[in-house]
Amino acid sequence: MERGWLHGERFLLCLILHLLLQGRGDTFTINCSGFEQHGVDPAAFQPMFDRKAFRPVVNYSIPTQVNISFTLSAILEVNEQLQMMTSFLWLNMIWHNQFIRWNPEECGGISEFSIATENLWLPDIFIQEFMDIDETPTGLMAYVNSEGRTKYDKPMQVVSICNLDIFYFPFDEQNCTLTFSSFIYTVENMALGLEKEVQEISNTSQNLIQSKGEWALLGIYQKQMKMTVDTSQYDQIIFYVAIRRRPTLYVINLLMPSSFLVVIDALSFYLPAESQIRVPFKMTLLLGYNVFLLMMNDLLPDTGTPLISMYFALCLSLMVLSLLETIFITYLLHLATTQPPPMPRWLHSLLLHGTSPMKCCPTVPQKGTKDLDLTHAHLPGLKEPVELVGKVPDPQEAELSGCPGSTRAQQEGEAQKQHLVGLWVQFSHMMDTLLFRFYLLFMATSVITVIVLWNT
Ligand SMILES: *[C@@H]1O[C@H](CO)[C@@H](O)[C@H](O)[C@H]1NC(C)=O
Ligand SMILES: *[C@@H]1O[C@H](CO)[C@@H](O)[C@H](O)[C@H]1NC(C)=O
Ligand SMILES: *[C@@H]1O[C@H](CO)[C@@H](O)[C@H](O)[C@H]1NC(C)=O
Ligand SMILES: *[C@@H]1O[C@H](CO)[C@@H](O)[C@H](O)[C@H]1NC(C)=O
Ligand SMILES: *[C@@H]1O[C@H](CO)[C@@H](O)[C@H](O)[C@H]1NC(C)=O
């Protein structure tokens, strides 16, 4: 294979030598006398143009050194679903064309010509990650100096494939590669080099990218290596383009509203459990959150499961949990005030034991003694239980006044029931506070976990 190439090139060399001997003698020097008076004579360049099909070296054993650099001027789009990055860059290539040479003094001091690229040999440098048709405009020019140093810049819209990891969205950084290499020239024929320091490429690109778009350029890094295909080796230069998403939009539109709703949801635990507004309030929050998720869905990446989706799911489950808790407490209170079941002994002692030494229930004052007045003891802050508790015996009292015979026994039973109701109400409040603390604990843990994950 390799031999075949070399053989072919030797053949080309002979052909060129033949052409040369036929043409302008043994040098490649362009005769440019008279250019300053009559303008450029195309005929003087014609022999050089005729050789554009061949690599411009005299000795084909020597590889052509092509030095490249580029300036990244925009990051247009990063598509997570297609795993593609669209950027815009200026590719600069410099190589030596040994078929061109002239004496600037003969040409009236002209040391540089611009020549239409269709008349010149161009290195076939391509980007391996390129996944689109090359829309490089035609009719570009290249600068050639009197030593044959050819400088060619071309603008490119690069749609490159890039392994995008959106787990940390919207705080993600991506590392896209642009691998420059030659299509057909092996290391024996073409050597790639850098025209500028990679730091300089990075600096100019950072200065040039003025757009305050979604992506900021962190830096460009470079690695040079050889790619082996079958038995041939190809020179390649790999550039790593490190970019970071600007998260402000997402923080404002996604994270903040969602956090606010969860905070309000947590604060709504301070609504008195007896009031009937807690459940509708939380229901409304939940509904609002769902609407929010629906509306914000198109801001999220289309593929994969970023951490932010888990965060949303977490917020939603926190809200559902808090709603369930409120339903449970409401049910418990309802049960307590209408038909309190007999209280298990252990629960009774736990309640009596639990209230006085421990500061478990902020809504329940510590003085809540083991007396009959338990109901009254924790009611001052809450007005409705008084009504609720008061309402239950109301009809009975009316009944009582009607028949004064068995008042004593009835009153005793009534007092017992009151006591039981008080205990159950107290139990409900304890449960409420306890579950609220669990909820807060769970919320804090999960939020901290998410934040820690985001920071790594
Ligand atoms: C260059 O061309 C001019 C005519 O255009 C001719 O007089 C001159 O001798 C040529 N010089 C060389 C070095 O061939
Ligand atoms: C071509 O280059 C090779 C390697 O540098 C060298 O060995 C050889 O002598 C050169 N041939 C000519 C004709 O200059
Ligand atoms: C390319 O760069 C190398 C150093 O990296 C330098 O020796 C060589 O002259 C450069 N070639 C051109 C055509 O600028
Ligand atoms: C990008 O990825 C390459 C290889 O995967 C690695 O060598 C390089 O350090 C990475 N660059 C950055 C800035 O993360
Ligand atoms: C690039 O910029 C940094 C600071 O932003 C500077 O320290 C460094 O010297 C610059 N490098 C080049 C090659 O211009």
Side-chain angles (χ1 to χ4, degrees), residues 263-314:
V263 166
I264 293 174
D265 186 59
L267 287 179
S268 71
F269 275 99
Y270 284 103
L271 289 175
E274 286 82 359
S275 69
Q276 302 297 313
I277 56 164
R278 226 207 233 184
V279 171
F281 186 81
K282 293 200 180 214
M283 224 26 243
T284 319
L285 278 184
L286 199 60
L287 194 68
Y289 195 68
N290 275 313
V291 172
F292 160 78
L293 282 187
L294 274 181
M295 283 174 60
M296 289 305 154
N297 208 19
D298 51 351
L299 272 186
L300 290 177
D302 300 323
T303 45
T305 316
L307 199 55
I308 197 167
S309 300
M310 292 184 223
Y311 169 78
F312 286 153
L314 188 84

Side-chain angles (χ1 to χ4, degrees), residues 158-344:
V158 181
V159 180
S160 61
I161 197 137
C162 177
N163 189 7
L164 299 167
D165 178 11
I166 44 118
F167 182 69
Y168 294 109
F169 173 90
F171 303 104
D172 50 341
E173 286 173 13
Q174 308 292 351
N175 182 357
C176 290
T177 43
L178 296 177
T179 309
F180 290 84
S181 161
S182 166
F183 254 125
I184 61 146
Y185 291 109
T186 57
V187 281
E188 288 86 22
N189 299 313
M190 189 185 283
L192 289 184
L194 274 184
E195 191 208 330
K196 291 191 233 171
E197 287 285 308
V198 69
Q199 184 64 45
E200 207 182 322
I201 295 177
S202 183
N203 277 12
T204 28
S205 299
Q206 262 167 338
N207 292 339
L208 199 70
I209 295 184
Q210 296 296 340
S211 62
K212 290 274 168 280
E214 189 178 350
W215 294 89
L217 180 68
L218 288 180
I220 297 174
Y221 310 90
Q222 167 261 333
K223 193 163 83 177
Q224 190 148 11
M225 57 190 293
K226 299 208 189 320
M227 176 181 64
T228 311
V229 178
D230 294 336
T231 51
S232 353
Q233 278 197 323
Y234 297 84
D235 233 357
Q236 55 177 217
I237 300 182
I238 304 175
F239 290 96
Y240 297 106
V241 180
I243 52 177
R244 184 201 283 139
R245 199 190 293 270
R246 291 198 176 94
T248 330
L249 171 78
Y250 300 98
V251 170
I252 290 174
N253 283 327
L254 293 177
L255 292 183
M256 270 168 57
S258 145
S259 313
F260 284 156
L261 283 175
V262 169
V263 166
I264 293 174
D265 186 59
L267 287 179
S268 71
F269 275 99
Y270 284 103
L271 289 175
E274 286 82 359
S275 69
Q276 302 297 313
I277 56 164
R278 226 207 233 184
V279 171
F281 186 81
K282 293 200 180 214
M283 224 26 243
T284 319
L285 278 184
L286 199 60
L287 194 68
Y289 195 68
N290 275 313
V291 172
F292 160 78
L293 282 187
L294 274 181
M295 283 174 60
M296 289 305 154
N297 208 19
D298 51 351
L299 272 186
L300 290 177
D302 300 323
T303 45
T305 316
L307 199 55
I308 197 167
S309 300
M310 292 184 223
Y311 169 78
F312 286 153
L314 188 84
C315 290
L316 196 67
S317 44
L318 277 174
M319 291 179 137
V320 170
L321 276 183
S322 95
L323 184 65
L324 287 179
E325 193 267 2
T326 306
I327 291 174
F328 173 64
I329 295 298
T330 311
Y331 168 72
L332 213 58
L333 275 171
H334 174 74
L335 206 65
T337 48
T338 51
Q339 34 181 314
M343 186 163 269

Side-chain angles (χ1 to χ4, degrees), residues 129-165:
E129 287 81 9
F130 204 100
M131 284 292 143
D132 204 355
I133 41 169
D134 189 358
E135 284 170 1
T136 303
T138 51
L140 291 174
M141 309 293 273
Y143 266 106
V144 184
N145 80 357
S146 56
E147 257 88 58
R149 205 176 118 98
T150 315
K151 194 165 170 292
Y152 174 45
D153 298 348
K154 68 171 178 176
M156 291 173 90
Q157 177 168 324
V158 181
V159 180
S160 61
I161 197 137
C162 177
N163 189 7
L164 299 167
D165 178 11

